[in-house]
Amino acid sequence: MRLIAHRGASGHAPENTMAAFRLALEMGAQAVEFDVHQTKDHELVVLHDVDLKRVAGRKAQVRDLTWKELSQVDVGSWRDRAFAAERVPRLSDVYDLIQGKAELHLEIKKGTSLYPGIEERVVDLIQKRKAWAATVVSSFDHAALYLVRWLDARARLGYLLGLTPMRTAYREMAEIKAESLNLSVRQVDAGKVRACHEKGLKVLVYTPNERKTLDRLDKMGVDGVFCNFPELMP
Ligand code: G3P
Ligand code: MG
């Protein structure tokens, strides 16, 4: 079972920051997950939420800020003053650091309905960096996954289940040629793992952070886990 460092080594450093990604690599993570949004001036940026409330105590929405404005915001202090220098990374910064060292699980948080053109920009970056072999694009926004597939036949796709019924999910995963079903610890069970494996799909589970849960999922046949603590690597 593969451990994917969820938002970097986010159990130890502020999520989705260069500090969290550096630490994940130092701890030996073979794969790293992060979330992608888009600024007002179309910069692809890495953070989890659509706004800055949780990580910076500000109401501002990412889509209403320019990259210059966003790049000045401290997104580290909320975890610890030692991280006060951390800023929202650009997607290109994250690739500069991780590509060639670990697999990249790039989650598009919202597609073109909120961020016009985000799928094209993500695909363009991956193409220019010749990074498809090392990248899996995932999203709860399945329209975004359809668009990524349409843009590039080489795309590797992870289907984040959300509230979609399983019948629909299996159909859509086949249509977009997804390589994995990504679902929560609460949603996963042995039947889904078996059904996915029969269809040639991997199963990736977020976000188990305890050894006993990891052991249970490993026994269930789960292929990978998004985990905040890379040291729990099985
Ligand atoms: O991609 C797995 C996981 O990151 C999905 O949930 O909310 O942590 O982005 P979330
Ligand atoms: Mg995520």
Side-chain angles (χ1 to χ4, degrees):
M1 189 169 73
R2 165 163 285 202
L3 187 143
I4 305 154
H6 180 243
R7 311 182 194 174
S10 60
H12 302 286
E15 64 183 48
N16 283 320
T17 61
M18 295 303 272
F21 299 135
R22 253 183 245 114
L23 188 57
L25 295 176
E26 281 165 24
M27 293 175 84
Q30 295 172 341
V32 180
E33 187 265 359
F34 48 85
D35 308 289
V36 177
H37 297 254
Q38 182 175 276
T39 63
K40 188 177 172 183
D41 52 348
H42 302 151
E43 187 69 57
L44 298 174
V45 291
V46 173
L47 74 165
H48 184 268
D49 301 345
V50 292
D51 61 46
L52 293 169
K53 217 159 152 192
R54 193 170 52 88
V55 294
R58 287 176 48 173
K59 270 191 185 155
Q61 304 269 319
V62 175
R63 67 170 175 165
D64 295 333
L65 296 172
T66 62
W67 162 241
K68 195 167 174 210
E69 289 164 339
L70 183 64
S71 66
Q72 287 154 23
V73 178
D74 166 2
V75 291
S77 291
W78 70 286
R79 279 297 298 268
D80 191 305
R81 274 209 311 237
F83 294 111
E86 292 305 317
R87 299 291 178 265
V88 172
R90 287 172 298 197
L91 182 59
S92 57
D93 301 326
V94 173
Y95 267 78
D96 286 345
L97 178 71
I98 301 177
Q99 191 182 358
K101 302 192 183 83
E103 188 169 67
L104 300 106
H105 286 253
L106 186 168
E107 182 183 345
I108 297 177
K109 265 296 167 206
K110 295 276 179 205
T112 218
S113 56
L114 188 68
Y115 298 125
I118 189 170
E119 298 89 347
E120 282 89 346
R121 288 186 189 88
V122 164
V123 167
D124 188 55
L125 180 142
I126 297 168
Q127 287 173 344
K128 286 199 172 116
R129 289 177 178 256
K130 300 190 186 343
W132 272 125
T135 303
V136 180
V137 172
S138 60
S139 191
F140 289 104
D141 183 342
H142 303 146
L145 295 179
Y146 273 88
L147 189 44
V148 172
R149 166 58 68 226
W150 182 78
L151 289 164
D152 198 324
R154 295 166 298 182
R156 298 176 58 195
L157 300 177
Y159 185 99
L160 274 155
L161 182 61
L163 298 174
T164 305
M166 285 311 298
R167 259 172 84 99
T168 309
Y170 287 130
R171 177 175 54 74
E172 293 192 340
M173 287 190 285
E175 285 173 2
I176 62 170
K177 298 186 177 66
E179 69 171 49
S180 64
L181 172 66
N182 301 5
L183 73 183
S184 73
V185 176
R186 266 168 292 154
Q187 291 172 314
V188 72
D189 59 51
K192 290 196 187 90
V193 173
R194 207 177 316 115
C196 282
H197 287 172
E198 277 168 18
K199 294 173 195 295
L201 290 160
K202 287 186 239 172
V203 177
L204 307 181
V205 177
Y206 62 89
T207 314
N209 283 315
E210 286 175 6
R211 170 81 59 201
K212 68 172 194 297
T213 315
L214 290 169
D215 289 345
R216 181 171 64 79
L217 296 172
D218 196 18
K219 283 201 190 89
M220 203 186 277
V222 164
D223 301 279
V225 285
F226 299 94
C227 176
N228 300 349
F229 298 93
E231 70 273 25
L232 292 179
M233 199 126 42

